Amino acid sequence: MQLKIMPKKKHFSAGRVPLILFLCQMISALDVPLDLVQPPTITQQSPKDYIIDPRENIVIQCEAKGKPPPSFSWTRNGTHFDIDKDPLVTMKPGSGTLVINIMSEGKAETYEGVYQCTARNERGAAISNNIVVRPSRSPLWTKERLESIILHNGQSLVLPCRPPIGLPPAIIFWMDNSFQRLPQSERVSQGLNGDLYFSNVLPEDTREDYICYARFNHTQTIQQKQPISLKVISVDELNDTIAANLSDTEFYGAKPGKERPPTFLTPQGTESRKEELRGNVLSLECIAEGLPTPIIYWIKEDGTLPVNRTFYQNFKKTLQITQVSEADSGNYQCIAKNTLGAVHHTISVTVKAAPYWISAPQNLVLSPGENGTLICRANGNPKPRIGWLTNGVPVEIAPDDPSRKIDGDTIIFSNVQERSSAVYQCNASNEYGYLLANAFVNVLAEPPRILTSANILYQVIANRPALLDCAFFGSPLPTIEWFKGTKGSALHEDIYVLHDNGTLEIPVAQKDSTGTYTCVARNKLGMAKNEVHLEIKDPTRIIKQPEYAVVQRGSKVSFECKVKHDDTLIPTIMWLKDNGELPNDERFSVDKDHLVVTDVSDDDGGMYTCAANTTLDSVSASAVLRVVDVPNPPFDLELTNQLDKGVQLSWTPGDDNNSPITKFIIEYEDAMHEAGIWHHQTEVSGTQTTAQLTLSPYVNYSFRVMAENSIGRSVPSEASEQYLTKAAEPDQNPTAVEGLGTEPDNLVITWKPLNGFESNGPGLQYKVSWRQKDGDDEWTSVVVANVSKYIVSGTPTFVPYLIKVQALNDVGFAPEPAAVMGHSGEDLPMVAPGNVRVNVVNSTLAEVHWDPVPLKSVRGHLQGYRIYYWKAQSSSKRNRRHIEKKILTFQGNKTHGMLPGLQPYSHYVLNVRVVNGKGEGPASTDRGFHTPEGVPSAPSSLKIVNPTLDSLTLEWDPPSHPNGVLTEYTLRYQPINSTHELGPLVDLKIPANKTRWTLNHLNFSTRYKFYFYAQTSVGSGSQITEEAITTVDEGKLAGILPPDVGAGKVRAVNPRISNLTAAAAETYANISWEYEGPEHVKFYVEYGVAGSKEEWRKEIVNDSRSFFGLKGLMPGTAYKVRVGAEGDSGFVSSEDVFETGPAMASRQVDIATQGWFIGLMCAVALLILILLIVCFIRRNKGGKYPVKEKEDAHADPEIQPMKEDDGTFGEYSDAEDHKPLKKGSRTPSDRTVKKEDSDDSLVDYGEGVNGQFNEDGSFIGQYSGKKEKEPAEGNESSEAPSPVNAMNSFV
């Protein structure tokens, strides 16, 4: 079935109210096409109350349409206005608008009156409203003499304005002579009538230029009243002024200037009435006087004030209700209240209404013989009267029309004919105004026509309503049908909605709604149709919305906004801040999906909106940016409740910068003792703004406050005023009191003095007291200045003393201090330990025992015992080098200790000394002992030189520590194949006097690994290892092929190179590989430094052999290598990495082997020898070597005493640690550091670093030592110095 327009049947739902309103506007009237005959219609006219500017021409508008075009005429004050007789009046062509030229001549007042326009053609006449034309007026104030006003402080006052009556009414405001608005408040305000009200006057109200201004906006002029002078004086001043100026002064205000309850200045009394018209703004005013200033409250009796339409102005003295209606009528009460009472005033409000439309008449198009009605319904208060006119003439006196019947507010037409065409006017009026509406009746016989353009394309977003227009006209009124598609499928009512104006509505458009729609209009005179097209687009969506952000000031923030849209629509992305444009600032940058704000400031906080707009839809998403930072510093610091030892500090918090303050930190400065240094005082919670502070005496305090939030801490506030507390006696004594003697006959008393803050007053001193602990002596006291040390002289050696140090100042003494114990000075011990015995445990460890010394002979704090031990040397070596003495200290009253790390097969000498805080006592008698033979250290070096095809030569240096008599060397070696597997091990014994050995009958191009160690009668020492490769001579082996690795095997179908092996020496490497594949393949070798980006170096392999020698390599360098095949069958092996051996000394050109250098060095050596002989002769003439004398006289005078401050022992050290080399000292002859064998570690004998032993006689002390400086004795090997080294030693 087809869907037809049924005027009484509409498919609306409550959810489409906005759409209904839109459609109501669209179908409110049926427009007649302008090419058809129709009565006139007024389209534009001037307002009913038309106030003109008398300085400009008068333009009274009247525009109308009709067919044929209408003619115009005017009436003025009810009579015909003949514009042809007035040369100043013209009518615009094709229009009814009047232009009255008063700028050249004439006055506006001449044309003041009531005008009405009539537009007429053959079908009827339409009339305009009555247009009341009045020129605007801005009269001056009448001249008046204004007396100066003198008031007592606190009295009320009303300064009258009484502006002249203008048209329109003036806008009133008060200013001074400088055109500055006078400040207004709850106490001083302007009323609705323009008067200035003072609830009570204050002395600051005194001025001579209270001026009321009236601004007339229409003429853009301002009129000024004469200035009013006001003086506010006290009671005494008032009496004097009355006597002097009684004759010419007026006094306002009957009440004295004292506190009083409120009374109303306006309105007067307790009740008043107010009338307002519907739709206007209701303004109610109450202004009261009183002291203190009253506060105004508003209520509505028997009702509540409308929430969204109620506003307060003028400090709540004015109540305004917008869009007032009859429901707002009632009693309103204002209440003025202060501390002394309250007063009430009731305003009875009545809302009247000028006429307003309920249903205005609409144009009516009928075909001959049809029926119709015109309805004119209006309301108002009082109820308006309804009057009808025909073509501008009251219907009662208009020509009779048999098809017309009037029934109150309705005209009924039946069986109309063409002569029934006319324009009807409906007039609804009451005492507050009128309404006039024109509606024509046009009798036409017209077939349907569709006014909407053909083939319009509508684009609609999916799931939204689609409205397809089909504006039409016809008489009689056509019926409308809609079809979809070319086949004419009818549309069903349950899916679609058709409106009276022909519009087809698809409530929820879907993708399948796309297509062509046909609108068909029919009446009895014919048919018309039109096609439109509909496309459904995907909605624009924000798939990634910006998110709420909290950032710190100065940082960067980014908002993301990703939009998905229909492919055929191009969206425009716009970012807004607080619903406005982004600031014009380079810190804001926008790319495709992001808004980035750098260096964020406080002003950047707010709501950021991403708006995506297409031609069909728009979507937006918002996020809030909160800018935070450390708080601003507090300010307005104030000190109150100042006491001797306390004060209250208050402050005003700074801005928290959007992050709540969690705490306040208070600091103080002592300007008297530590100016510029701030100390922590206390902390309080972030909700407090005051703190009670506890203070110390005699401090010149200043305070500052810092605020802290989750972001961080503010900068400090400005410092408070200074506050000096009173002096008091000290409340504490010095700390760290000690008594230690620095000499055998003194006692040095030291303490940590009080600082200025702790002194509590001026004149800080100390009372120092002491006495012997074990005697009956009285306390000896002395008062000293503000120092930290006092020395008591003439004390016996190492006697305990009781000591006290008490603080005092000009006010008094500190509390009595507690006594501490100290000792007078120590002296060196007098007795050496006796009965020293040595028990050799093994070749590296010996145990020493001794008898303790008497405690009285210690003459100080017993620190422990110290053992000096050294290796005994021959007299020849002793002359050349000082003896290295090692020291071990054992804490406490021990009688034994262990000596670890001894050299095997050596002779040692030791002595023992007692130690106190002053130093060491005399040494015990020297005791010597021998360590047994041990295993040797590893050979000092091992080198492989002169590699050949089948031999390798080994060179080595003997062990640096033979630790006995070497009996032989053991050499073990084994080959290593290409897969790094070890071959059979060969043992070889070599005599002990050899340092070179050659191995023959080795395999060519083979890597060997060597293990080499020395032996004594005790056993084998540590081994040293080395690897070397026999060489390949390519010249000799050019015609010799290695064994065929593939013999007897089926070769692989796919050729490949495998088992790539590199055997490297110092500057060359032998590369070998295995090949499976076709014969007669040419190979190449590529190599380069491993890890570098340099290109591969390529070497071509002669013939098809599977080995190649690389020469000219750098020693000690890692190389990468690979093998490939030439030709079309090219393939490459996997990479291998090898490292060449280190550079060999024998391969280097040593300058020491050059003839010229040897000759030069011999000459130098001869010169040095002569110098040494001269030095030796001079030394013998000068007596003993000084250091040797000291050593013989007193053990080792270079040993440093123990530390006095902490009582710890020196570490295991050499007495010559900090001395320069003496003459005759030499470095090893070959200037190389030889490998040392590992001595026994302290960890093997003690606990951790301290190396302590248990009570069973094991080591309990600490030890340290230096490496041997002299050559090894006994069976230790040594090398003769070279000339170069001899020269270096001498220098």
Side-chain angles (χ1 to χ4, degrees):
M1 76 181 227
Q2 291 87 5
L3 189 60
K4 299 182 180 180
I5 293 182
M6 304 298 293
K8 292 184 180 181
K9 188 172 184 179
K10 300 178 182 178
H11 296 274
F12 292 134
S13 66
R16 293 204 302 274
V17 173
L19 178 62
I20 295 172
L21 295 177
F22 164 73
L23 291 173
C24 289
Q25 295 174 357
M26 189 167 58
I27 65 176
S28 59
L30 185 65
D31 290 334
V32 179
L34 290 178
D35 62 336
L36 298 179
V37 177
Q38 57 185 294
T41 300
I42 299 292
T43 58
Q44 191 173 1
Q45 56 184 316
S46 294
K48 294 178 182 180
D49 191 5
Y50 187 25
I51 300 175
I52 62 173
D53 189 339
R55 300 168 297 180
E56 298 178 355
N57 290 337
I58 302 173
V59 179
I60 308 175
Q61 289 185 331
C62 180
E63 304 289 344
K65 67 177 182 177
K67 184 71 175 182
S71 60
F72 297 89
S73 61
W74 286 86
T75 63
R76 177 184 174 192
N77 297 329
T79 61
H80 177 67
F81 182 36
D82 192 350
I83 62 175
D84 296 331
K85 293 183 178 181
D86 192 333
L88 300 181
V89 181
T90 58
M91 184 182 296
K92 291 183 178 181
S95 167
T97 299
L98 295 181
V99 179
I100 303 174
N101 187 5
I102 62 172
M103 295 183 65
S104 57
E105 56 180 309
K107 294 183 179 181
E109 290 80 3
T110 305
Y111 296 94
E112 188 174 354
V114 180
Y115 292 79
Q116 189 173 42
C117 171
T118 301
R120 187 185 307 275
N121 69 7
E122 62 187 35
R123 288 277 173 153
I127 61 175
S128 70
N129 292 322
N130 286 330
I131 302 171
V132 180
V133 177
R134 294 181 295 171
S136 63
R137 297 180 179 87
S138 52
L140 299 174
W141 258 285
T142 57
K143 290 187 177 182
E144 56 182 336
R145 181 183 179 188
L146 299 177
E147 304 292 344
S148 60
I149 303 171
I150 300 176
L151 287 180
H152 182 269
N153 184 15
Q155 288 185 280
S156 63
L157 173 65
V158 179
L159 295 183
C161 181
R162 295 192 287 271
I165 299 175
L167 186 68
I171 297 174
I172 307 300
F173 50 93
W174 288 80
M175 294 196 298
D176 58 17
N177 276 330
S178 302
F179 296 99
Q180 299 297 319
R181 284 186 179 269
L182 297 177
Q184 298 189 22
S185 63
E186 292 178 342
R187 184 179 63 84
V188 182
S189 60
Q190 177 184 312
L192 295 176
N193 62 353
D195 294 345
L196 190 62
Y197 293 85
F198 294 76
S199 296
N200 50 78
V201 295
L202 298 175
E204 56 260 32
D205 296 328
T206 297
R207 64 190 312 143
E208 297 181 351
D209 55 352
Y210 284 94
I211 305 174
C212 183
Y213 289 85
R215 182 175 66 205
F216 298 93
N217 286 342
H218 212 80
T219 58
Q220 298 181 351
T221 58
I222 296 177
Q223 304 295 349
Q224 173 183 335
K225 185 181 176 73
Q226 290 294 321
I228 301 175
S229 175
L230 171 63
K231 184 175 183 181
V232 181
I233 60 177
S234 64
V235 176
D236 296 337
E237 292 175 325
L238 181 61
N239 294 333
D240 296 340
T241 305
I242 291 174
N245 304 291
L246 186 59
S247 60
D248 58 356
T249 302
E250 180 182 356
F251 291 92
Y252 285 73
K255 297 182 179 180
K258 62 180 181 179
E259 291 190 351
R260 59 191 180 277
T263 59
F264 283 110
L265 297 174
T266 183
Q268 301 292 329
T270 59
E271 293 183 356
S272 60
R273 293 183 177 277
K274 175 75 174 182
E275 190 175 277
E276 191 57 79
L277 290 181
R278 181 181 184 270
N280 289 349
V281 177
L282 172 65
S283 296
L284 306 179
E285 181 181 56
C286 282
I287 301 178
E289 66 89 18
L291 189 65
T293 302
I295 304 298
I296 304 298
Y297 302 92
W298 290 91
I299 61 173
K300 182 181 181 183
E301 298 178 0
D302 302 327
T304 57
L305 296 173
V307 176
N308 297 324
R309 295 185 294 115
T310 301
F311 302 93
Y312 296 100
Q313 304 291 338
N314 198 19
F315 308 97
K316 295 194 72 174
K317 299 175 186 180
T318 302
L319 170 68
Q320 289 186 338
I321 300 177
T322 59
Q323 292 295 320
V324 69
S325 64
E326 290 85 342
D328 296 318
S329 298
N331 293 330
Y332 292 80
Q333 190 176 98
C334 63
I335 305 165
K337 184 183 297 184
N338 68 7
T339 56
L340 300 181
V343 63
H344 304 256
H345 184 92
T346 301
I347 305 174
S348 180
V349 175
T350 302
V351 179
K352 299 292 185 178
Y356 56 92
W357 289 119
I358 296 177
S359 177
Q362 302 294 323
N363 293 335
L364 191 60
V365 179
L366 299 174
S367 63
E370 283 190 319
N371 304 326
T373 58
L374 288 179
I375 300 174
C376 177
R377 290 177 184 164
N379 200 0
N381 186 13
K383 186 74 175 179
R385 300 178 301 277
I386 302 296
W388 288 96
L389 296 87
T390 301
N391 297 325
V393 178
V395 72
E396 293 81 9
I397 60 175
D400 190 31
D401 184 354
S403 64
R404 176 184 68 210
K405 178 182 178 182
I406 299 176
D407 184 9
D409 59 4
T410 304
I411 300 180
I412 302 172
F413 297 94
S414 57
N415 193 24
V416 296
Q417 301 301 320
E418 187 175 344
R419 63 178 181 274
S420 301
S421 297
V423 181
Y424 289 85
Q425 291 83 31
C426 172
N427 186 308
S429 60
N430 65 10
E431 58 186 283
Y432 299 106
Y434 73 93
L435 294 173
L436 178 67
N438 290 279
F440 65 69
V441 175
N442 196 13
V443 180
L444 293 173
E446 286 291 328
R449 65 169 68 180
I450 295 177
L451 307 179
T452 301
S453 300
N455 294 315
I456 293 178
L457 174 61
Y458 293 91
Q459 294 180 328
V460 178
I461 297 298
N463 300 318
R464 295 188 181 180
L467 298 173
L468 309 182
D469 294 335
C470 184
F472 64 93
F473 182 79
S475 184
L477 184 67
T479 59
I480 300 298
E481 296 175 316
W482 280 91
F483 300 88
K484 180 182 179 183
T486 56
K487 296 182 179 180
S489 57
L491 304 183
H492 300 283
E493 293 179 82
D494 55 349
I495 300 177
Y496 302 92
V497 177
L498 278 115
H499 298 280
D500 290 347
N501 66 345
T503 298
L504 173 68
E505 177 189 354
I506 306 174
V508 182
Q510 302 291 340
K511 284 288 188 179
D512 58 2
S513 301
T514 300
T516 300
Y517 292 80
T518 303
C519 167
V520 178
R522 290 187 178 89
N523 68 6
K524 63 183 180 180
L525 301 179
M527 179 196 75
K529 66 178 181 178
N530 186 36
E531 287 186 353
V532 296
H533 308 282
L534 177 63
E535 291 182 355
I536 307 301
K537 305 292 185 181
D538 291 327
T540 304
R541 295 185 295 115
I542 296 179
I543 58 177
K544 178 64 175 178
Q545 299 186 358
E547 298 179 349
Y548 173 79
V550 179
V551 299
Q552 187 171 356
R553 183 193 301 143
S555 59
K556 182 175 76 171
V557 65
S558 176
F559 292 105
E560 185 178 9
C561 180
K562 289 188 177 180
V563 178
K564 185 177 182 181
H565 58 90
D566 192 279
D567 295 337
T568 62
L569 300 177
I570 301 176
T572 300
I573 309 299
M574 178 180 295
W575 285 92
L576 305 174
K577 180 181 183 296
D578 297 329
N579 296 322
E581 293 184 359
L582 291 177
N584 186 16
D585 192 330
E586 62 183 8
R587 297 181 301 107
F588 290 77
S589 60
V590 179
D591 59 14
K592 181 179 179 182
D593 297 326
H594 292 82
L595 165 65
V596 179
V597 186
T598 59
D599 191 17
V600 174
S601 65
D602 291 337
D603 295 337
D604 298 333
M607 182 174 69
Y608 288 82
T609 302
C610 167
N613 301 300
T614 66
T615 55
L616 299 181
D617 66 345
S618 63
V619 65
S620 64
S622 300
V624 173
L625 171 62
R626 186 160 67 94
V627 181
V628 299
D629 204 352
V630 299
N632 291 348
F635 55 94
D636 288 346
L637 272 65
E638 183 179 4
L639 299 177
T640 56
N641 298 338
Q642 297 178 354
L643 305 174
D644 289 347
K645 292 189 178 183
V647 71
Q648 179 172 288
L649 174 65
S650 60
W651 61 89
T652 301
D655 192 340
D656 64 4
N657 291 323
N658 298 320
S659 180
I661 296 174
T662 56
K663 65 180 177 180
F664 291 100
I665 299 95
I666 302 172
E667 295 182 337
Y668 72 89
E669 176 198 27
D670 181 3
M672 182 184 302
H673 303 105
E674 293 180 308
I677 300 177
W678 291 88
H679 302 275
H680 181 271
Q681 174 76 21
T682 188
E683 295 179 0
V684 297
S685 71
T687 59
Q688 291 184 229
T689 57
T690 61
Q692 189 67 37
L693 307 179
T694 301
L695 308 181
S696 295
Y698 198 59
V699 176
N700 194 6
Y701 281 99
S702 292
F703 299 97
R704 68 182 186 185
V705 184
M706 292 174 286
E708 186 175 295
N709 61 11
S710 59
I711 309 302
R713 183 175 295 184
S714 73
V715 298
S717 68
E718 294 292 331
S720 70
E721 60 179 315
Q722 291 186 344
Y723 176 52
L724 178 61
T725 54
K726 292 182 179 180
E729 66 275 1
D731 50 20
Q732 58 182 309
N733 286 302
T735 57
V737 178
E738 291 184 347
L740 294 173
T742 58
E743 298 295 337
D745 60 348
N746 75 1
L747 171 65
V748 180
I749 303 174
T750 60
W751 60 90
K752 181 181 178 182
L754 303 181
N755 57 38
F757 182 83
E758 297 167 337
S759 65
N760 287 5
L764 178 63
Q765 295 178 301
Y766 300 100
K767 178 183 176 182
V768 183
S769 304
W770 67 92
R771 71 176 177 86
Q772 287 192 24
K773 178 177 180 295
D774 299 327
D776 297 331
D777 298 344
E778 296 293 330
W779 287 93
T780 302
S781 299
V782 64
V783 175
V784 299
N786 187 11
V787 294
S788 61
K789 180 172 70 173
Y790 182 76
I791 301 176
V792 181
S793 302
T795 62
T797 302
F798 196 63
V799 174
Y801 277 84
L802 293 179
I803 303 166
K804 295 190 295 185
V805 180
Q806 184 178 22
L808 68 150
N809 60 19
D810 292 348
V811 180
F813 285 84
E816 183 69 22
V820 298
M821 190 174 75
H823 283 82
S824 57
E826 299 180 70
D827 204 348
L828 293 176
M830 296 185 297
V831 178
N835 194 21
V836 177
R837 306 170 306 278
V838 180
N839 177 28
V840 178
V841 178
N842 56 39
S843 62
T844 61
L845 181 66
E847 182 178 14
V848 183
H849 291 260
W850 61 88
D851 292 340
V853 301
L855 290 179
K856 287 186 178 181
S857 68
V858 175
R859 297 199 294 178
H861 295 285
L862 176 63
Q863 303 286 356
Y865 290 86
R866 185 170 292 162
I867 300 178
Y868 283 76
Y869 64 102
W870 61 95
K871 288 174 65 175
Q873 300 178 351
S874 65
S875 60
S876 60
K877 291 186 177 182
R878 188 179 302 118
N879 290 334
R880 291 199 308 267
R881 180 169 302 181
H882 293 295
I883 298 173
E884 178 191 1
K885 294 185 177 181
K886 298 182 180 180
I887 305 169
L888 279 177
T889 302
F890 301 89
Q891 295 180 353
N893 193 15
K894 300 298 181 183
T895 60
H896 63 276
M898 304 293 287
L899 299 182
L902 301 177
Q903 183 76 36
Y905 201 60
S906 300
H907 177 63
Y908 281 90
V909 179
L910 63 82
N911 58 48
V912 184
R913 312 176 192 194
V914 66
V915 182
N916 67 8
K918 186 69 174 177
E920 299 175 351
S924 66
T925 304
D926 287 352
R927 289 285 183 266
F929 64 95
H930 288 271
T931 55
E933 192 174 13
V935 296
S937 63
S940 298
S941 64
L942 175 64
K943 296 182 291 185
I944 290 88
V945 298
N946 300 328
T948 65
L949 293 175
D950 61 351
S951 68
L952 293 171
T953 299
L954 283 70
E955 293 181 353
W956 64 89
D957 291 321
S960 58
H961 297 286
N963 296 334
V965 178
L966 295 182
T967 58
E968 63 182 357
Y969 292 101
T970 300
L971 174 64
R972 307 174 72 191
Y973 64 96
Q974 58 188 146
I976 305 174
N977 64 14
S978 60
T979 60
H980 303 287
E981 295 175 350
L982 297 175
L985 193 64
V986 178
D987 280 5
L988 180 66
K989 301 296 183 179
I990 300 174
N993 59 348
K994 299 291 185 179
T995 59
R996 179 183 178 94
W997 197 266
T998 299
L999 296 175
N1000 296 309
H1001 308 297
L1002 301 178
N1003 297 327
F1004 73 91
S1005 187
T1006 301
R1007 178 183 293 272
Y1008 286 89
K1009 186 167 185 178
F1010 300 93
Y1011 312 89
F1012 191 64
Y1013 53 89
Q1015 289 178 281
T1016 66
S1017 60
V1018 176
S1020 301
S1022 301
Q1023 69 181 10
I1024 185 171
T1025 64
E1026 188 58 87
E1027 293 185 13
I1029 305 174
T1030 55
T1031 61
V1032 172
D1033 188 339
E1034 291 192 29
K1036 295 180 179 180
L1037 298 179
I1040 302 175
L1041 294 178
D1044 189 355
V1045 295
K1049 298 181 182 179
V1050 179
R1051 296 191 178 270
V1053 176
N1054 295 323
R1056 65 188 181 95
I1057 296 175
S1058 60
N1059 292 336
L1060 178 64
T1061 304
E1066 181 181 347
T1067 59
Y1068 61 88
N1070 292 328
I1071 312 300
S1072 61
W1073 59 91
E1074 296 180 3
Y1075 167 69
E1076 298 180 22
E1079 297 181 353
H1080 307 297
V1081 174
K1082 285 192 174 183
F1083 299 102
Y1084 61 87
V1085 176
E1086 290 183 319
Y1087 68 100
V1089 177
S1092 69
K1093 296 182 179 179
E1094 66 178 12
E1095 295 184 357
W1096 292 82
R1097 284 175 276 182
K1098 187 173 182 181
E1099 299 286 348
I1100 302 299
V1101 179
N1102 294 331
D1103 300 327
S1104 299
R1105 46 184 192 172
S1106 58
F1107 62 92
F1108 187 77
L1110 295 176
K1111 297 182 180 180
L1113 304 180
M1114 296 176 60
T1117 305
Y1119 284 89
K1120 56 185 178 180
V1121 65
R1122 64 186 182 186
V1123 178
E1126 298 277 350
D1128 296 337
S1129 61
F1131 49 89
V1132 180
S1133 70
S1134 59
E1135 293 183 19
D1136 190 20
V1137 176
F1138 66 89
E1139 184 173 354
T1140 56
M1144 298 295 184
S1146 61
R1147 297 297 180 96
Q1148 297 176 354
V1149 178
D1150 192 349
I1151 190 173
T1153 63
Q1154 303 299 305
W1156 63 268
F1157 185 76
I1158 295 174
L1160 176 63
M1161 288 300 102
C1162 289
V1164 172
L1166 180 61
L1167 178 61
I1168 292 172
L1169 180 60
I1170 295 171
L1171 291 174
L1172 288 175
I1173 294 172
V1174 173
C1175 291
F1176 181 78
I1177 294 172
R1178 295 187 62 184
R1179 177 184 174 191
N1180 289 339
K1181 289 182 179 181
K1184 284 189 175 181
Y1185 192 44
V1187 175
K1188 178 62 179 175
E1189 291 179 352
K1190 284 190 169 184
E1191 291 175 351
D1192 295 339
H1194 181 23
D1196 192 345
E1198 297 165 352
I1199 299 174
Q1200 300 296 321
M1202 292 176 295
K1203 300 177 183 178
E1204 296 182 3
D1205 52 353
D1206 55 4
T1208 58
F1209 290 89
E1211 305 243 339
Y1212 179 86
S1213 62
D1214 186 352
E1216 300 176 357
D1217 278 354
H1218 304 291
K1219 291 192 175 184
L1221 284 174
K1222 298 180 173 57
K1223 293 181 180 180
S1225 63
R1226 298 181 182 179
T1227 57
S1229 59
D1230 59 355
R1231 301 189 62 80
T1232 59
V1233 178
K1234 298 181 182 293
K1235 180 176 177 64
E1236 302 285 345
D1237 56 346
S1238 58
D1239 293 328
D1240 291 338
S1241 169
L1242 283 177
V1243 180
D1244 297 333
Y1245 298 97
E1247 298 177 0
V1249 177
N1250 294 329
Q1252 295 185 354
F1253 284 74
N1254 297 324
E1255 290 295 334
D1256 58 356
S1258 57
F1259 171 56
I1260 60 171
Q1262 298 175 323
Y1263 98 105
S1264 63
K1266 299 189 69 173
K1267 293 182 179 179
E1268 296 281 353
K1269 296 183 179 178
E1270 69 280 7
E1273 293 194 27
N1275 57 6
E1276 293 179 353
S1277 63
S1278 61
E1279 297 181 3
S1282 71
V1284 176
N1285 293 328
M1287 182 180 68
N1288 290 336
S1289 300
F1290 176 75
V1291 174

